[in-house]
């Protein structure tokens, strides 16, 4: 691992791009193909970076779709105000911090769920059968907040601890503009640390994990070039600081995956029927292998919606239900026109 500068978390200090790298490429930054030693690094540290994960054509497509979604050109999104044609793309994108489930409206975002690099890595670290349950488009303009220490499995509870995030960098992500920070090896405890409400102005209002046996000095910055994909375990402690750059973005498409062989007792939107042990969220996309529960079918549980800068948390059930109702209402209105 790279050495960690204990003062590198101080946001007042200027950091040139990749200035925290001590001596070239750190351990854990790889290229394809996926090999046993890379899979072992992931197992030991809870994350890895694939630097050639998304080619320039993919990135250009994702950036174009980001603009189109923010302008309202891909269909109704709760929280998105259709843009005036005279507004610049920058002015439009700066309105939003995060759009949940963009793959519901954008074919480009949908196709990005199963990029070859993602399939190759996940079938090695999860298993042959992999499903996706969530996409999140972060549009982190200069001045936008980060998220406090958290674990994704706190929000998306898998039964087999197979939850894995794939963080596709659409821009160079640096300490200055709010890259990810991770605590290597923190996933090994297999514990979901308690969360508390925090009022730190650097972060949105998502909860902050507490009581874990680490300090900020144990963290390393995951600085990556555009096109890199960061993979991380659902139990790994991670956070991001605000975008302190004077201009520009730290855009990323973040998708969440798990073994298709496990049930997913995520939010279901109404009172569960039968044993809670049988709950299984079925608004999924298969990206590799076979779905052992295909006989259950696919359900429409969520729709694309904005997560405002002051709101945090992944997959808030109330927002998901409201977004789906909004989408259905807009489609019904179109049918009546």
């Amino acid at each position: 691992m790279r050495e960690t500068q204990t003062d590198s978390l101080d946001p007042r200090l200027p950091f040139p791009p990749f200035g925290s790298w001590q001596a070239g490429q750190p351990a854990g930054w790889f290229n394809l193909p996926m090999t046993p030693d890379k899979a072992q690094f992931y197992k030991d540290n809870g994350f890895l970076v694939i630097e050639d994960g998304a080619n320039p054509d993919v990135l250009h497509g994702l950036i174009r779709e980001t603009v189109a979604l923010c302008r309202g050109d891909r269909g109704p999104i709760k929280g998105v105000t259709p843009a005036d044609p005279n507004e610049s793309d920058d002015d439009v994108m700066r309105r939003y911090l995060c759009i949940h489930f963009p793959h519901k409206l954008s074919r480009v975002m949908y196709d990005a769920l199963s990029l070859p690099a993602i399939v190759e890595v996940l079938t090695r670290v999860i298993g042959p059968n992999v499903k996706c349950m969530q996409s999140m488009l972060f549009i982190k303009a200069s001045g936008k907040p980060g998220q406090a220490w958290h674990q994704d499995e706190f929000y998306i509870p898998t039964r087999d601890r197979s939850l894995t995030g794939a963080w596709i960098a659409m821009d160079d992500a640096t300490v200055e503009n709010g890259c990810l920070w991770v605590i290597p090896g923190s996933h090994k405890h297999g514990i979901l640390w308690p969360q508390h409400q925090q009022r730190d102005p650097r972060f949105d209002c998502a909860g902050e994990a507490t009581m874990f046996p680490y300090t900020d000095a144990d963290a390393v910055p995951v600085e990556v070039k555009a096109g890199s994909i960061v993979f991380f375990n659902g139990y790994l402690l991670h956070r991001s600081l605000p975008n302190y750059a004077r201009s520009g973005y730290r855009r990323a498409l973040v998708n969440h995956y798990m073994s298709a062989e496990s049930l997913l007792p995520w939010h279901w939107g109404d009172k569960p029927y039968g044993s809670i042990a049988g709950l299984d969220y079925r608004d999924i996309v298969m990206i590799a292998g076979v779905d052992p529960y295909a006989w259950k079918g696919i359900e429409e549980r969520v729709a694309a919606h904005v997560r405002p800068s002051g709101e945090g948390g992944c997959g808030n059930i109330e927002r998901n239900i409201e977004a789906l109702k909004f989408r259905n209402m807009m489609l019904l209105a179109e049918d009546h026109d």
Side-chain angles (χ1 to χ4, degrees), residues 66-67 70 89-96 139 249 251:
T66 298
V67 173
C70 291
D89 292 345
D90 280 343
D91 288 340
V92 172
M93 284 191 292
R94 284 189 62 85
R95 294 178 189 166
Y96 310 110
I139 313 156
Y249 301 88
R251 291 167 291 194

Side-chain angles (χ1 to χ4, degrees), residues 145-149 198-206 208 239-242 309:
Q147 283 188 286
W149 289 117
Q198 49 79 28
R199 292 179 174 80
D200 191 320
R202 296 175 298 172
F203 307 122
D204 68 16
C205 66
E208 181 175 36
R239 78 171 182 179
S240 64
L241 292 168
S309 299

